[in-house]
Amino acid sequence: MGAWGEKRARRGLSRNKAIDPGEIPQVRRALFAAAALVGLAMAVLVGRLWYLQVLHGEEFRLLSENNRVRLVDVPPSRGLIFDCKRRLLADNRPTFTLVAVPEDVPDWDLLTRRLHALIGITPQEVADARKAARGAPPFKAMRLRSNLDRDQLANLETFQYELPGVKVMVEYRRAYLAAKETAHVIGYLGEINAEELKKAPRELYRMGDYVGRDGLERSRDRVLHGARGVRQVEVDAVGRELKVLSDKPERPGHDLILTLDLDLQKAAAVGMGQQVGAVVALNPKNGQVLCMYSAPSFDQNSFVLGMSGAQWQALSKDPMHPLKHRAISGVYPPGSTYKIITSAAGLSEGVINKDTLYFCSGQMSLGRRTYKCWAHKRGGHGSVNLHKALRESCDVYYYRVGKSLGVDRLAKYARAFGLGRASGVPLPHESSGLIPDSAWKRKRFGEPWQEGETLSVAIGQGFNLTTPLQLARMVAVVANGGRLVTPTLVAAVVRPDGGEPVPEPPGMISRTPVSDEHLKLIHEGLVAVVNEPHGTASRARVKGVTVAGKTGTAQVVALKFERKKGEETPWRFRDHALFVAYAPAEDPEIAVSVVIEHGGHGGSDAAPVAQRVLATYFHGPQPLPEDEAAKAVEAAGRPAGQGTTGQPAAPEAEGVDGD
């Protein structure tokens, strides 16, 4: 082939050569974009795999395992509570609760309709339950309704396969066996709230648990609560348990054996009847509380079973305040029971001795004011020494002793006998009361103390405020020879694994600054109050037992108001009736205080209540008199009229004690 032919052949080959797409700029850019997109997708995939398998691998592994295996929380059963004779006061009873596991419920609307048709659960109940469970793990059961009855259980069992995610759990709820007699001491339970849950130990408490709301249920909640258990179970696709894989049982709470005697609680309830007030009984030797009853009372079981809004409003707004624990938080002028203090102060400070005589004409003048004795209508008590003054509760005698002492020395001995400060009883909401002195008035009112105010204080009126528990401690000082005891309510704790009860440590005991000789003189006067002619508390006598005591009648309003109203005095303006006692006088075993709000007189109204408690202590439960049978049906009723806890009378109130 010639030169021309070779040249043409090369030109032909050049025309037939394939074109490289990469050499085209547009194609090159498209390829780069596709490669970048693929690379980005691979990066996202790798990142997601790293997130799932490395960063949160353990968490998602557990969640995946939970589709088959679940840990079921097992709350502990609460410790039981017994009285001093091992009679059960607070028990645990099985109850059935409907719960739902949110992640096993495919359709909440459908489930709600089915539950409404079967057992009457409303959409609002379901909505409230889901709201309360918000933030909880989806595999955690949430409570829909408690205390299911037999018919509801039967319906749920019959249609269980149409209720995915729903099951019935057996729980134990508190049951109070002597509800009204022990309501204020034992207290009651309530469901833990979110704020409490934040402060509570996670290993002990969960949402839905019940905790103590008042009384010993509250102050001993950790002891009674117990430790949680856990059960590992295998479940199917709709959350039904197939078998138990492992089980760590819960540890029940510790049991409490109280110092309370149920017989005395019942005696106090019968004695109080429809009256308002409190009864307290102590062992004067060691401070153990034998009886602590507040009237009116309430049924603690209502809080456990649940009450409607209307029921709660009726209870909380009741003008008689049944939820108030009057034995420790009700404050009252001590009336003439305070004359024990005035006697101790006068003897210890050398103002009087057993032979000191004052003449009572029925009244005493100080400045422009006249202070009357309760016996002024009959011309007074005549010549009075300490023994007669205590026996007949002569106000004029104690006006003169108080005037010589002054308020500050009176306050010193009142505090030494436990007045004006909390006793230390292991219960919430205890009041300290009030014992006034000159410094207190200057700080409170910016005014100096007046001598006339001392006369009122000397007979337990004026600014004085005490609780029934404080009055029981006060008289126990005379009973035990001068020792101030700290009240205790728990005698022993029983561990859930059995064994002997572990005794609680005794309460603290301190000595009062009053000699044995002076206490003996006061003791003899208190014996005379109950057992000698003209004593103001003859109605406190117990067959075969020597009782010592002191009556008191505390004003709520001025006498001129009472005289004006006469028999029509409204209930809330009537006098408080008080009585303190101990027995047997030779070797006291029990000290008692009774306060009846607006109840009349200490000797005629409060002393019989103490007599029933003392007679029960020494001779066993007393037969029910016919005139008290109606009261026992509803031990915590209410008197006619309305009223509130007594307020201090005017600082210069006159003596109104009597029998």
Side-chain angles (χ1 to χ4, degrees):
M1 183 183 298
W4 181 84
E6 292 179 3
K7 187 175 181 180
R8 187 172 180 176
R10 286 197 297 272
R11 189 181 296 125
L13 288 172
S14 178
R15 254 191 224 111
N16 296 330
K17 183 179 179 181
I19 300 175
D20 184 0
E23 294 178 1
I24 303 174
Q26 294 86 346
V27 175
R28 186 183 299 116
R29 285 194 295 272
L31 289 175
F32 280 140
L37 184 61
V38 172
L40 180 61
M42 289 298 294
V44 171
L45 180 60
V46 171
R48 183 61 177 171
L49 290 173
W50 179 84
Y51 175 83
L52 294 174
Q53 296 185 11
V54 179
L55 188 60
H56 291 282
E58 182 66 16
E59 176 183 349
F60 287 110
R61 185 191 68 78
L62 292 175
L63 288 175
S64 175
E65 181 71 9
N66 192 66
N67 289 332
R68 183 179 65 87
V69 178
R70 285 197 182 134
L71 296 178
V72 178
D73 178 60
V74 182
S77 61
R78 199 167 179 85
L80 308 180
I81 300 178
F82 302 86
D83 84 334
C84 64
K85 297 176 182 176
R86 295 296 189 92
R87 289 172 291 196
L88 192 58
L89 301 178
D91 193 10
N92 298 316
R93 301 285 175 84
T95 183
F96 298 96
T97 300
L98 182 67
V99 300
V101 178
E103 71 174 3
D104 293 334
V105 178
D107 188 336
W108 277 104
D109 291 336
L110 178 60
L111 178 64
T112 300
R113 290 195 298 272
R114 287 175 175 172
L115 290 176
H116 180 69
L118 288 174
I119 61 173
I121 284 186
T122 65
Q124 187 60 48
E125 285 183 88
V126 176
D128 291 343
R130 296 181 68 185
K131 182 179 179 181
R134 192 173 297 162
F139 54 84
K140 179 176 173 56
M142 66 181 192
R143 182 181 284 104
L144 294 177
R145 177 179 284 185
S146 300
N147 304 307
L148 301 174
D149 60 33
R150 292 179 180 272
D151 292 338
Q152 292 171 334
L153 286 173
N155 288 339
L156 291 170
E157 182 68 21
T158 302
F159 295 96
Q160 61 175 321
Y161 291 101
E162 297 181 17
L163 304 169
V166 171
K167 60 182 178 179
V168 175
M169 295 178 58
V170 179
E171 297 181 321
Y172 286 88
R173 293 293 173 85
R174 213 46 154 178
Y176 298 103
L177 308 185
K180 291 194 174 182
E181 291 87 357
T182 61
H184 295 92
V185 176
I186 293 180
Y188 55 92
L189 302 180
E191 189 170 346
I192 194 169
N193 58 44
E195 191 63 30
E196 292 169 329
L197 194 61
K198 291 178 183 177
K199 302 175 183 178
R202 180 65 180 169
E203 67 275 9
L204 292 180
Y205 297 91
R206 299 283 193 278
M207 185 61 73
D209 282 358
Y210 281 78
V211 295
R213 284 280 175 252
D214 203 1
L216 288 169
E217 292 277 31
R218 175 174 172 178
S219 63
R220 291 303 187 97
D221 188 73
R222 295 287 177 88
V223 176
L224 292 163
H225 187 75
R228 315 189 76 80
V230 63
R231 186 170 64 250
Q232 191 178 42
V233 298
E234 185 175 353
V235 299
D236 62 13
V238 293
R240 288 189 293 267
E241 294 183 8
L242 302 177
K243 64 179 179 178
V244 177
L245 302 178
S246 65
D247 188 10
K248 176 187 175 183
E250 81 283 6
R251 189 185 74 237
H254 291 64
D255 297 339
L256 300 182
I257 301 175
L258 305 187
T259 61
L260 286 183
D261 186 332
L262 182 57
D263 290 333
L264 300 187
Q265 294 291 122
K266 291 180 177 179
V270 172
M272 290 296 293
Q274 295 182 341
Q275 300 174 109
V276 176
V279 181
V280 177
L282 304 175
N283 181 332
K285 298 176 181 178
N286 56 24
Q288 290 186 343
V289 179
L290 306 177
C291 174
M292 184 177 282
Y293 178 74
S294 180
S297 188
F298 61 95
D299 187 348
Q300 306 139 284
N301 293 302
S302 299
F303 289 90
V304 179
L305 299 175
M307 62 176 72
S308 66
Q311 289 175 314
W312 168 247
Q313 289 295 321
L315 185 62
S316 61
K317 293 185 177 181
D318 189 317
M320 296 298 111
H321 307 292
L323 295 176
K324 183 172 185 176
H325 191 179
R326 287 172 164 83
I328 63 172
S329 60
V331 289
Y332 312 89
S336 288
T337 65
Y338 188 88
K339 290 171 183 175
I340 294 173
I341 304 297
T342 308
S343 299
L347 290 168
S348 300
E349 295 294 323
V351 169
I352 56 171
N353 58 45
K354 67 183 182 67
D355 298 318
T356 301
L357 289 174
Y358 291 119
F359 184 79
C360 172
S361 64
Q363 60 186 34
M364 171 183 167
S365 297
L366 181 67
R368 294 178 295 178
R369 184 173 173 82
T370 299
Y371 293 81
K372 293 182 179 180
C373 179
W374 70 268
H376 70 280
K377 290 184 179 180
R378 67 185 194 200
H381 294 96
S383 293
V384 183
N385 61 10
L386 175 66
H387 188 85
K388 183 177 180 181
L390 281 169
R391 182 185 68 203
E392 301 180 24
S393 200
C394 176
D395 294 322
V396 169
Y397 181 93
Y398 287 101
Y399 288 149
R400 295 190 179 278
V401 176
K403 182 175 180 294
S404 299
L405 283 167
V407 69
D408 291 335
R409 286 197 286 183
L410 281 171
K412 169 188 170 183
Y413 285 89
R415 293 175 184 133
F417 275 68
L419 306 184
R421 55 192 172 103
S423 69
V425 67
L427 292 173
H429 313 307
E430 183 184 10
S431 173
S432 61
L434 173 63
I435 293 299
D437 56 22
S438 56
W440 169 83
K441 188 184 179 190
R442 188 174 294 107
K443 181 179 179 181
R444 175 68 177 81
F445 296 105
E447 299 175 356
W449 188 267
Q450 302 298 318
E451 193 173 34
E453 294 172 324
T454 304
L455 271 60
S456 294
V457 167
I459 63 165
Q461 292 285 167
F463 295 110
N464 280 322
L465 290 174
T466 56
T467 68
L469 177 58
Q470 289 174 348
L471 294 178
R473 292 181 81 202
M474 177 191 73
V475 77
V477 171
V478 182
N480 65 31
R483 294 173 298 148
L484 180 65
V485 295
T486 299
T488 57
L489 273 164
V490 179
V493 176
V494 182
R495 292 190 296 266
D497 55 0
E500 290 297 316
V502 179
E504 286 281 279
M508 294 179 59
I509 298 176
S510 59
R511 181 75 194 184
T512 55
V514 184
S515 69
D516 293 341
E517 177 187 358
H518 294 152
L519 288 170
K520 183 180 178 182
L521 293 175
I522 298 171
H523 163 78
E524 291 171 351
L526 299 185
V527 172
V529 169
V530 179
N531 300 283
E532 292 185 5
H534 307 297
T536 58
S538 60
R539 295 187 65 180
R541 294 173 186 171
V542 176
K543 184 178 180 180
V545 180
T546 304
V547 178
K550 183 71 191 78
T551 55
T553 304
Q555 273 184 250
V556 177
V557 294
L559 279 178
K560 59 183 180 182
F561 179 88
E562 268 195 289
R563 283 195 293 267
K564 182 178 179 181
K565 290 288 184 179
E567 293 299 322
E568 297 179 359
T569 302
W571 178 79
R572 66 183 183 275
F573 295 141
R574 298 173 189 172
D575 299 331
H576 299 318
L578 304 97
F579 183 66
V580 296
Y582 56 86
E586 302 78 14
D587 184 18
E589 300 175 18
I590 180 173
V592 183
S593 72
V594 177
V595 177
I596 302 178
E597 287 185 20
H598 317 292
H601 297 282
S604 59
D605 298 285
V609 179
Q611 192 275 344
R612 174 171 284 276
V613 173
L614 292 170
T616 301
Y617 178 84
F618 290 107
H619 303 309
Q622 300 296 293
L624 192 64
E626 291 183 8
D627 61 341
E628 293 182 357
K631 300 178 185 178
V633 174
E634 183 62 42
R638 67 196 57 197
Q642 297 180 350
T644 58
T645 302
Q647 299 299 318
E652 297 186 4
E654 299 168 343
V656 292
D657 195 17
D659 57 6

